[in-house]
Structure formats: structure tokens, C-alpha cells
Amino acid sequence: MKVPFLDLSKMDDSLKEELQKAFKSSLDSGIFSGGKEVQSFIENLKKQLGEGYLQPLGNGTDALELALRALDIQPEDEVIVPSLTWVSTAEVVHLLGAKPIFCDTDNQGLISTNWVDLVTPKTRAIMPVHLYGKMVDMAPMCGTASKLGLAVVEDAAQSFGASQGGKASGTWGDVGAFSFYPTKNLGALGEAGACFTKSQDLAERISLFSNHGQIRRDEHLSWGRNARIDTIQASFLNVFLARFESFQKRRKTLAKNYLEALEGYEGLLLPGGVLEEDHNAHLFVIQTTRRDELKEYLHLQGIGTAIHYPKILPDLISFQAKGDFSISRKITETCLSLPLNPNMSDSDQAYVIEKIQAFFK
Ligand SMILES: Cc1ncc(COP(=O)(O)O)c(C=O)c1O
């Protein structure tokens, strides 16, 4: 039996048909940039996220970068980022000439509350990352940041669909950045992303930067670049959004099955809070000191797993930052993401569970 970590070709036939219809409709319309599919996507996303300004973009990295540009982050400014995240979070700080200041995480991989100790007169912003789909505790973070005069850019790339106290992830900070990379809970059939903000001023700046500073055709108010979403991706995302709730339900059921079946095994630490509303069950990340051995064992049984992530960012050649990152470094040595996606069958999951139980017995 083979259970890949994720096989995006495995979607049900009715979904494939709807996507093909969306593609044909775009083809027939001849509109491949902007247009009504992008407008519908904005409205559909706002239904999920609440009132505010929504700018669809080419990908999540653009969303993070434009958020920082809209906030006018300058060279030499400092921006606090977690040491464990996808590289984009810190990369965009560097691209603006500013300095990422790395902060260790807690045991779940979320930025440590000790981040306040890293604030200096040069600090301008903090970027909480809702890693694996689990939200950072946003009310205290936003409160502290506001007192210190810092902007909050939420990296909600992995947490679309999660919320805290009824308020969606990505809507807490000054700007929220989303990725709709194909593997995400809401994923395009290619690249896509978005920024959300409640500030009209920031929304206008993000919109301008994403389209060469154009307020309308050939009227350029500032410099900018092209970070626009593809119409065709917006049309696919509209199809996926209509099924989002049922996909989320399936993810939560699969997460519950793992939690129940794998509880109590010595040497196996299960993720916390996956069933709560502030986790969207994007990834199911277990921790074990026997990680490499387990990964290889599962591989030999035909089961795909992944490591999010094998290195903390301060250890990458491109950053080489010093500091105490012992908790996040330990996660890189012990974490293993198990297959969990809406297209996974019950029998696929039962097989994965059986093999993990056998390994730890
Ligand atoms: C935490 C995090 N931030 C940013 C990104 C960047 O998104 P994209 O790949 O759409 O540029 C990702 C996507 O992988 C991510 O997981």
C-alpha cells in the first residue's frame, strides 16, 4: 500500500469537473488578468475574513513583502520574526534592506512571548507566524505591540480558516498575509496569495505597489511592480472556497483520529490544540527523538511524511544569526508531519496509524 504525504491529483471527479468548467469559462471569456473572477474572489474571501480590504496577489511571499512596504519599513529598521518558519517570513525583511531579528519559539513552534526582550529603538514591526495552522495568541501580542508602537504583520500563510474568539487569523494585525500555494488548506492550481487589512491607507498602498503604482491605466502615483493574481487562479480558488467548510471538517476528523489512536505511546509527542478553532489542521506534526528512524521506517512501508522544517532560519547560510534558539532547533530535530489532507481515505489513514503504532510498540 502507498500513502503519499500529499497527492494533489487525488481529488474527486466532481471537483475536477468544476475546475475544468471554471477553466473553460475563463478561456471563453478571454479575460486573463483582473475581471469578475477576481472581484468574486475578493467578495468570497471577505465573507470568510470579515469586513476590511482584501488585495489578491500573486503569492504569499508578495503579500508579506507588500505588507512591509505599505508599512514603510526602511533599510536598517528591525523586524522581529520567529526562528522557525518558512523562509519567506524573514526573506522579505531582508529584501527591503531591513534586519530580521530572530526570536526562539515555544514547543509548538510559535514565536516565544519573550519577543519583547528583543525590542530596540530600531524595531518597527513583528511578524507572528501561525505555524502548522495554529494561531499565536493574538490579543496579548497586538496589545503589547500597540503599546510599544510596533506594527504587526501576521503571516497567516498556513492558517487560513483558523480563528480566535471568532476573529479570523490574518485579521488581527495591521496586515495579514495569506498564501494560496497548492498545498495550503485553500490552495490554487498554481501560485496565489492575498493581503488583508482594516486600514484604508495600507490597503491603497498595497494595491498601488502590486500594480506598478497605477491608480488607473497609465496614471502612476508611485513606483511598484506586478504582484497581481492570475484571473484563472482566482476562478479556481472560487471553486475551492465553495467546498472549504467540508474540507475543513474532513481535516478535523482525520486529526481527531490520529490524536485518539496515537495517544499514550512513549516517546511520541502529539500536537496540541489541533481540534480547536484557532487551528486549521493544516499540518499534523508529531515530535519524537526517533524522528529520522521513524521517517525511514514509514518510507519503507510506502508512507510519505515531511519535515517542517529541517533547519531554523538563523542557521541558513543566507542569515547566519546568533542567539539562543534551542527550542525551535529541537523541533527541527524531532518534528515529523504525517499525511493529512481532505483527499485522504479512511483506509489510508488506518494504515498510517497501524504502522506508527507498530513502530512505537
Ligand atoms: C509560513 C509561510 N509564510 C510564507 C509563505 C509563502 O507563501 P508563497 O509560497 O505563496 O509565496 C509560506 C508558503 O509556503 C508559508 O508557509
Side-chain angles (χ1 to χ4, degrees), residues 86-165:
W86 174 242
V87 68
S88 303
T89 322
E91 192 175 59
V92 293
V93 177
H94 185 76
L95 286 175
L96 266 80
K99 191 170 176 202
I101 303 293
F102 292 101
C103 178
D104 202 4
T105 66
D106 63 15
N107 290 322
Q108 300 189 90
L110 303 180
I111 193 163
S112 159
T113 49
N114 294 340
W115 66 266
V116 279
D117 299 339
L118 299 171
V119 174
T120 74
K122 289 183 172 178
T123 313
R124 291 283 319 283
I126 172 152
M127 299 174 81
V129 177
H130 305 312
L131 198 72
Y132 309 149
K134 170 78 180 165
M135 287 178 71
V136 171
D137 197 358
M138 289 309 287
M141 165 164 288
C142 291
T144 308
S146 160
K147 269 189 222 141
L148 296 170
L150 304 179
V152 176
V153 173
E154 249 183 298
D155 184 338
Q158 300 188 3
S159 63
F160 183 79
S163 63
Q164 252 162 17

Coordinates of all heavy atoms in Angstrom, one line a residue, residues 86-165:
W86 N 8.7 29.1 7.4 CA 9.2 29.1 6.0 C 10.0 30.3 5.8 O 9.8 31.4 6.3 CB 7.9 29.0 5.1 CG 8.3 29.0 3.6 CD1 7.9 30.0 2.7 CD2 9.1 28.1 2.9 NE1 8.5 29.7 1.5 CE2 9.2 28.6 1.6 CE3 9.8 27.0 3.3 CZ2 10.0 27.9 0.6 CZ3 10.6 26.3 2.3 CH2 10.6 26.8 1.0
V87 N 11.0 30.2 4.9 CA 12.0 31.2 4.7 C 11.4 32.6 4.3 O 12.0 33.6 4.6 CB 13.0 30.7 3.6 CG1 12.4 30.6 2.3 CG2 14.3 31.6 3.6
S88 N 10.2 32.6 3.6 CA 9.7 33.9 3.2 C 9.5 34.9 4.3 O 9.8 36.1 4.0 CB 8.3 33.6 2.6 OG 8.2 32.7 1.6
T89 N 9.1 34.5 5.4 CA 8.9 35.5 6.5 C 10.1 36.4 6.8 O 9.9 37.6 6.9 CB 8.5 34.7 7.8 OG1 7.7 33.6 7.5 CG2 7.8 35.6 8.8
A90 N 11.3 35.8 6.8 CA 12.5 36.6 7.1 C 13.1 37.2 5.8 O 13.6 38.3 5.8 CB 13.5 35.7 7.8
E91 N 12.9 36.4 4.7 CA 13.5 36.8 3.4 C 12.9 38.2 3.0 O 13.7 39.1 2.5 CB 13.0 35.8 2.4 CG 13.6 35.7 1.1 CD 13.0 34.5 0.4 OE1 11.8 34.4 0.2 OE2 13.8 33.7 0.0
V92 N 11.6 38.4 3.2 CA 11.1 39.7 2.7 C 11.6 40.9 3.5 O 11.7 42.0 3.0 CB 9.5 39.7 2.8 CG1 9.0 38.7 1.8 CG2 9.0 39.4 4.2
V93 N 11.9 40.6 4.8 CA 12.5 41.7 5.6 C 13.9 42.1 5.0 O 14.2 43.3 4.8 CB 12.7 41.2 7.1 CG1 13.4 42.3 7.9 CG2 11.4 40.8 7.7
H94 N 14.6 41.1 4.7 CA 15.9 41.2 4.1 C 15.8 42.0 2.7 O 16.6 42.9 2.4 CB 16.6 39.9 3.9 CG 18.0 40.0 3.4 ND1 19.0 40.3 4.2 CD2 18.5 39.7 2.2 CE1 20.1 40.3 3.5 NE2 19.9 40.0 2.3
L95 N 14.8 41.6 1.9 CA 14.6 42.2 0.6 C 14.4 43.7 0.7 O 14.7 44.5 -0.2 CB 13.5 41.5 -0.1 CG 13.8 40.1 -0.7 CD1 12.5 39.5 -1.3 CD2 14.9 40.2 -1.7
L96 N 13.8 44.2 1.8 CA 13.6 45.6 2.0 C 14.8 46.3 2.6 O 14.8 47.5 2.8 CB 12.4 45.8 2.9 CG 11.1 46.0 2.2 CD1 10.5 44.7 1.8 CD2 10.1 46.8 3.0
G97 N 15.9 45.5 2.8 CA 17.1 46.1 3.4 C 17.0 46.2 4.9 O 18.0 46.7 5.5
A98 N 15.9 45.8 5.5 CA 15.8 45.8 6.9 C 16.4 44.6 7.5 O 16.9 43.7 6.8 CB 14.3 45.9 7.3
K99 N 16.4 44.5 8.9 CA 17.1 43.4 9.5 C 16.1 42.5 10.3 O 15.4 43.0 11.2 CB 18.1 44.0 10.5 CG 19.1 43.0 11.1 CD 20.2 43.7 11.9 CE 21.1 42.6 12.5 NZ 21.8 43.0 13.6
P100 N 16.1 41.2 9.9 CA 15.2 40.3 10.6 C 15.9 40.0 12.0 O 17.1 39.6 12.0 CB 15.2 39.0 9.8 CG 16.3 39.1 8.8 CD 16.8 40.5 8.7
I101 N 15.2 40.1 13.0 CA 15.7 39.8 14.4 C 15.0 38.5 14.8 O 13.7 38.5 15.0 CB 15.4 40.9 15.4 CG1 16.1 42.2 14.9 CG2 15.9 40.5 16.8 CD1 17.6 42.2 14.9
F102 N 15.7 37.4 14.9 CA 15.1 36.1 15.2 C 14.8 35.9 16.6 O 15.6 36.2 17.5 CB 16.0 35.0 14.6 CG 16.1 35.0 13.1 CD1 17.2 35.5 12.5 CD2 15.1 34.5 12.4 CE1 17.3 35.5 11.1 CE2 15.2 34.5 11.0 CZ 16.3 35.0 10.4
C103 N 13.6 35.3 16.9 CA 13.2 35.0 18.2 C 12.9 33.5 18.3 O 12.2 33.0 17.4 CB 11.9 35.8 18.5 SG 11.2 35.5 20.2
D104 N 13.3 32.9 19.4 CA 13.0 31.4 19.5 C 11.5 31.2 19.7 O 10.7 32.2 19.8 CB 13.7 30.9 20.8 CG 13.9 29.4 20.7 OD1 13.6 28.8 19.7 OD2 14.4 28.8 21.7
T105 N 11.1 30.0 19.6 CA 9.7 29.7 19.6 C 9.3 28.9 20.9 O 10.3 28.6 21.7 CB 9.3 28.8 18.4 OG1 9.9 27.5 18.6 CG2 9.6 29.4 17.1
D106 N 8.0 28.6 21.1 CA 7.7 27.7 22.2 C 7.7 26.3 21.6 O 8.1 26.1 20.5 CB 6.3 28.1 22.8 CG 5.2 28.0 21.7 OD1 5.4 27.3 20.6 OD2 4.1 28.5 22.0
N107 N 7.3 25.3 22.4 CA 7.4 23.9 22.0 C 6.5 23.6 20.8 O 6.6 22.5 20.2 CB 6.9 23.0 23.2 CG 8.0 23.0 24.2 OD1 9.2 23.1 24.0 ND2 7.5 23.0 25.5
Q108 N 5.5 24.4 20.5 CA 4.7 24.2 19.3 C 5.2 24.9 18.1 O 4.6 24.8 17.0 CB 3.3 24.7 19.6 CG 2.6 24.1 20.8 CD 1.1 24.6 20.9 OE1 0.3 23.9 20.3 NE2 0.9 25.7 21.5
G109 N 6.3 25.6 18.2 CA 6.8 26.3 17.1 C 6.3 27.7 16.9 O 6.5 28.4 15.8
L110 N 5.6 28.2 17.9 CA 5.1 29.6 17.8 C 6.0 30.6 18.5 O 6.5 30.3 19.6 CB 3.7 29.7 18.4 CG 2.6 28.7 17.8 CD1 1.3 28.9 18.4 CD2 2.5 28.9 16.3
I111 N 6.1 31.8 18.0 CA 7.1 32.8 18.5 C 6.9 32.9 20.0 O 5.8 33.0 20.5 CB 6.9 34.1 17.7 CG1 8.1 35.0 18.0 CG2 5.6 34.8 18.0 CD1 8.3 36.2 17.0
S112 N 8.0 32.9 20.7 CA 8.0 33.0 22.1 C 7.5 34.3 22.6 O 7.8 35.4 22.0 CB 9.5 32.7 22.6 OG 9.6 33.2 23.9
T113 N 6.9 34.4 23.8 CA 6.4 35.6 24.3 C 7.6 36.5 24.8 O 7.4 37.7 25.0 CB 5.5 35.4 25.5 OG1 6.1 34.5 26.4 CG2 4.1 34.9 25.1
N114 N 8.8 35.9 24.8 CA 10.0 36.7 25.1 C 10.4 37.6 24.0 O 11.4 38.3 24.1 CB 11.2 35.7 25.4 CG 11.0 34.9 26.6 OD1 10.2 35.2 27.4 ND2 11.7 33.8 26.6
W115 N 9.6 37.7 22.9 CA 10.0 38.6 21.8 C 10.1 40.0 22.3 O 10.9 40.8 21.7 CB 8.9 38.5 20.7 CG 7.6 39.0 21.0 CD1 6.5 38.3 21.4 CD2 7.1 40.3 20.9 NE1 5.4 39.1 21.6 CE2 5.7 40.4 21.3 CE3 7.7 41.6 20.5 CZ2 5.0 41.5 21.3 CZ3 6.9 42.7 20.5 CH2 5.6 42.7 20.9
V116 N 9.4 40.4 23.4 CA 9.5 41.8 23.8 C 10.9 42.1 24.3 O 11.3 43.3 24.2 CB 8.5 42.1 25.0 CG1 7.1 42.4 24.5 CG2 8.6 41.0 26.0
D117 N 11.7 41.1 24.7 CA 13.1 41.4 25.2 C 14.0 41.8 24.0 O 15.1 42.3 24.2 CB 13.7 40.1 25.8 CG 12.9 39.7 27.0 OD1 12.2 40.6 27.6 OD2 13.0 38.6 27.4
L118 N 13.5 41.5 22.7 CA 14.3 41.8 21.6 C 14.1 43.2 21.0 O 14.7 43.6 20.0 CB 14.1 40.8 20.5 CG 14.4 39.3 20.9 CD1 13.9 38.3 19.8 CD2 15.9 39.2 21.1
V119 N 13.1 43.9 21.6 CA 12.7 45.2 21.0 C 13.8 46.2 21.3 O 14.3 46.3 22.4 CB 11.4 45.7 21.6 CG1 11.0 47.1 21.2 CG2 10.3 44.7 21.2
T120 N 14.2 47.0 20.3 CA 15.2 48.0 20.5 C 14.6 49.3 19.9 O 13.5 49.3 19.2 CB 16.5 47.7 19.7 OG1 16.3 47.9 18.3 CG2 17.0 46.3 19.9
P121 N 15.3 50.5 20.0 CA 14.8 51.7 19.3 C 14.6 51.5 17.8 O 13.9 52.3 17.2 CB 15.8 52.7 19.7 CG 16.5 52.2 20.9 CD 16.5 50.7 20.8
K122 N 15.3 50.5 17.2 CA 15.2 50.3 15.7 C 14.0 49.4 15.3 O 13.7 49.3 14.1 CB 16.5 49.7 15.2 CG 17.6 50.7 15.2 CD 18.8 49.9 14.6 CE 20.0 50.9 14.4 NZ 21.1 50.2 13.8
T123 N 13.4 48.8 16.3 CA 12.3 47.8 16.0 C 11.1 48.5 15.4 O 10.6 49.5 16.0 CB 11.9 47.0 17.2 OG1 13.1 46.5 17.8 CG2 11.0 45.8 16.8
R124 N 10.6 48.1 14.3 CA 9.4 48.7 13.7 C 8.2 47.8 13.6 O 7.1 48.2 13.6 CB 9.7 49.1 12.2 CG 10.7 50.3 12.1 CD 10.0 51.6 12.4 NE 8.7 51.7 11.8 CZ 8.4 51.9 10.6 NH1 9.4 52.1 9.7 NH2 7.1 52.0 10.1
A125 N 8.5 46.5 13.6 CA 7.4 45.5 13.4 C 7.7 44.2 13.9 O 8.9 43.8 14.1 CB 7.0 45.4 11.9
I126 N 6.6 43.4 14.1 CA 6.8 42.0 14.5 C 5.9 41.2 13.6 O 4.8 41.6 13.1 CB 6.4 41.7 16.0 CG1 6.4 40.2 16.3 CG2 5.1 42.3 16.4 CD1 6.7 39.9 17.7
M127 N 6.4 40.0 13.2 CA 5.7 39.1 12.3 C 5.4 37.7 12.9 O 6.2 36.8 12.8 CB 6.5 38.9 11.0 CG 6.8 40.2 10.3 SD 7.9 40.0 8.9 CE 6.8 39.4 7.6
P128 N 4.2 37.6 13.6 CA 3.9 36.3 14.1 C 3.5 35.4 13.0 O 2.9 35.8 12.0 CB 2.6 36.6 15.0 CG 2.1 37.9 14.4 CD 3.2 38.7 13.9
V129 N 3.9 34.1 13.1 CA 3.6 33.1 12.1 C 2.7 32.1 12.7 O 3.1 31.5 13.8 CB 4.9 32.4 11.6 CG1 4.5 31.4 10.5 CG2 5.8 33.5 10.9
H130 N 1.6 31.8 12.2 CA 0.7 30.8 12.7 C 1.1 29.5 12.1 O 0.5 28.9 11.2 CB -0.8 31.1 12.3 CG -1.2 32.5 12.8 ND1 -1.0 33.0 14.0 CD2 -1.8 33.5 12.1 CE1 -1.5 34.2 14.1 NE2 -2.0 34.6 13.0
L131 N 2.2 29.0 12.7 CA 2.8 27.8 12.1 C 2.0 26.5 12.2 O 1.4 26.3 13.3 CB 4.2 27.6 12.8 CG 5.2 26.7 12.1 CD1 5.8 27.4 10.9 CD2 6.3 26.2 13.0
Y132 N 2.0 25.7 11.2 CA 1.3 24.5 11.1 C -0.3 24.7 11.1 O -1.0 23.7 11.1 CB 1.6 23.5 12.2 CG 3.1 23.2 12.4 CD1 3.6 22.9 13.6 CD2 4.0 23.3 11.3 CE1 5.0 22.6 13.8 CE2 5.4 23.0 11.5 CZ 5.8 22.7 12.7 OH 7.2 22.5 12.9
G133 N -0.7 26.0 11.1 CA -2.1 26.3 11.2 C -2.6 26.7 12.6 O -3.8 27.0 12.8
K134 N -1.7 26.7 13.6 CA -2.0 27.0 14.9 C -1.7 28.5 15.2 O -0.6 29.0 14.9 CB -1.2 26.2 15.9 CG -1.2 26.6 17.3 CD -2.5 26.1 18.0 CE -2.5 26.5 19.5 NZ -3.9 26.4 20.0
M135 N -2.7 29.2 15.7 CA -2.5 30.7 15.8 C -1.7 31.0 17.0 O -1.9 30.5 18.1 CB -3.9 31.4 15.9 CG -4.6 31.4 14.6 SD -6.2 32.2 14.7 CE -5.7 33.9 15.0
V136 N -0.9 32.0 16.9 CA -0.2 32.7 18.0 C -1.3 33.4 18.8 O -2.3 33.8 18.2 CB 0.8 33.7 17.4 CG1 1.4 34.6 18.6 CG2 1.9 33.1 16.7
D137 N -1.1 33.5 20.1 CA -2.2 34.2 20.9 C -2.1 35.7 20.6 O -1.3 36.4 21.0 CB -1.8 33.9 22.4 CG -3.0 34.2 23.3 OD1 -4.0 34.6 22.8 OD2 -2.8 34.0 24.5
M138 N -3.1 36.1 19.8 CA -3.0 37.4 19.1 C -3.4 38.6 20.0 O -2.9 39.7 19.9 CB -3.8 37.4 17.8 CG -3.2 36.6 16.7 SD -1.4 37.0 16.4 CE -1.6 38.6 15.6
A139 N -4.4 38.4 20.9 CA -4.8 39.6 21.7 C -3.7 40.2 22.5 O -3.4 41.4 22.4 CB -6.0 39.2 22.6
P140 N -2.9 39.3 23.3 CA -1.8 39.9 24.0 C -0.7 40.5 23.1 O -0.1 41.5 23.4 CB -1.3 38.8 24.9 CG -2.0 37.6 24.5 CD -3.2 37.9 23.7
M141 N -0.5 39.7 22.0 CA 0.6 40.2 21.1 C 0.3 41.6 20.6 O 1.1 42.5 20.6 CB 0.9 39.2 20.0 CG 1.7 39.9 18.9 SD 2.4 38.7 17.8 CE 3.7 38.0 18.8
C142 N -1.0 41.7 20.1 CA -1.3 43.0 19.4 C -1.4 44.1 20.5 O -1.0 45.3 20.2 CB -2.7 42.9 18.7 SG -2.7 41.8 17.3
G143 N -1.8 43.8 21.7 CA -1.8 44.8 22.8 C -0.4 45.3 23.1 O -0.2 46.5 23.2
T144 N 0.5 44.4 23.3 CA 1.9 44.8 23.6 C 2.5 45.5 22.4 O 3.2 46.6 22.6 CB 2.7 43.5 23.9 OG1 2.1 42.7 24.9 CG2 4.1 43.9 24.4
A145 N 2.3 45.0 21.2 CA 2.9 45.7 20.0 C 2.3 47.2 20.0 O 3.1 48.1 19.7 CB 2.5 45.0 18.8
S146 N 1.1 47.3 20.2 CA 0.5 48.6 20.1 C 1.1 49.6 21.2 O 1.4 50.7 20.9 CB -1.0 48.5 20.2 OG -1.6 49.7 20.6
K147 N 1.2 49.1 22.4 CA 1.9 49.9 23.4 C 3.3 50.3 23.1 O 3.7 51.4 23.4 CB 1.9 49.1 24.7 CG 0.7 49.3 25.6 CD 0.9 48.6 27.0 CE -0.4 47.9 27.4 NZ -0.2 46.7 28.0
L148 N 4.0 49.4 22.4 CA 5.4 49.7 22.0 C 5.5 50.5 20.7 O 6.6 50.7 20.2 CB 6.2 48.4 21.9 CG 6.3 47.6 23.2 CD1 6.9 46.2 22.9 CD2 7.2 48.3 24.2
G149 N 4.3 50.7 20.0 CA 4.4 51.4 18.8 C 4.9 50.6 17.6 O 5.4 51.1 16.6
L150 N 4.7 49.3 17.7 CA 5.1 48.4 16.6 C 4.0 47.9 15.7 O 2.9 47.7 16.2 CB 5.8 47.1 17.2 CG 6.9 47.3 18.2 CD1 7.4 46.0 18.7 CD2 8.1 48.1 17.5
A151 N 4.2 47.8 14.5 CA 3.2 47.2 13.6 C 3.3 45.7 13.7 O 4.3 45.1 14.0 CB 3.5 47.6 12.1
V152 N 2.1 45.1 13.4 CA 2.0 43.6 13.4 C 1.7 43.1 12.0 O 0.6 43.5 11.5 CB 1.0 43.1 14.4 CG1 0.8 41.6 14.3 CG2 1.3 43.5 15.8
V153 N 2.5 42.3 11.4 CA 2.2 41.7 10.1 C 2.1 40.2 10.4 O 3.0 39.5 10.7 CB 3.4 42.0 9.1 CG1 3.1 41.2 7.8 CG2 3.5 43.4 8.8
E154 N 0.8 39.8 10.2 CA 0.5 38.4 10.5 C 0.8 37.5 9.3 O 0.3 37.7 8.3 CB -1.0 38.3 10.8 CG -1.4 38.0 12.1 CD -3.0 37.9 12.2 OE1 -3.6 38.9 11.8 OE2 -3.5 36.8 12.5
D155 N 1.7 36.5 9.5 CA 2.0 35.6 8.5 C 0.9 34.4 8.6 O 1.1 33.5 9.4 CB 3.4 35.0 8.5 CG 3.7 34.1 7.4 OD1 2.7 33.5 6.8 OD2 4.9 33.9 7.1
A156 N -0.2 34.6 7.9 CA -1.3 33.6 8.0 C -1.3 32.7 6.8 O -2.3 32.1 6.5 CB -2.6 34.4 8.1
A157 N -0.1 32.5 6.3 CA 0.1 31.6 5.1 C -0.5 30.2 5.3 O -1.0 29.6 4.4 CB 1.5 31.6 4.6
Q158 N -0.3 29.7 6.6 CA -0.6 28.3 6.9 C -1.9 28.2 7.6 O -2.4 27.1 8.0 CB 0.5 27.7 7.7 CG 1.8 27.7 6.9 CD 2.9 26.8 7.6 OE1 2.7 26.2 8.7 NE2 4.1 26.8 7.1
S159 N -2.6 29.4 8.0 CA -3.7 29.3 9.0 C -5.0 29.8 8.4 O -5.9 30.1 9.2 CB -3.3 30.1 10.2 OG -3.2 31.5 9.8
F160 N -5.2 29.8 7.1 CA -6.5 30.3 6.6 C -7.6 29.3 7.1 O -7.5 28.1 7.1 CB -6.5 30.2 5.1 CG -7.8 30.8 4.5 CD1 -8.0 32.1 4.4 CD2 -8.8 29.9 4.0 CE1 -9.2 32.6 3.9 CE2 -9.9 30.4 3.5 CZ -10.2 31.7 3.5
G161 N -8.6 30.0 7.7 CA -9.7 29.1 8.3 C -9.7 29.1 9.8 O -10.7 28.7 10.4
A162 N -8.5 29.4 10.4 CA -8.5 29.4 11.9 C -8.9 30.7 12.4 O -8.9 31.7 11.7 CB -7.0 29.1 12.3
S163 N -9.4 30.7 13.7 CA -9.8 32.0 14.2 C -9.7 31.9 15.8 O -9.6 30.9 16.4 CB -11.3 32.3 13.9 OG -12.1 31.3 14.4
Q164 N -9.6 33.1 16.4 CA -9.5 33.2 17.8 C -10.7 34.1 18.3 O -10.8 35.3 17.8 CB -8.2 33.8 18.3 CG -7.3 32.8 18.9 CD -5.8 33.3 18.9 OE1 -5.5 34.5 18.7 NE2 -4.9 32.3 19.1
G165 N -11.5 33.6 19.2 CA -12.6 34.4 19.7 C -13.5 34.9 18.5 O -14.0 36.0 18.6

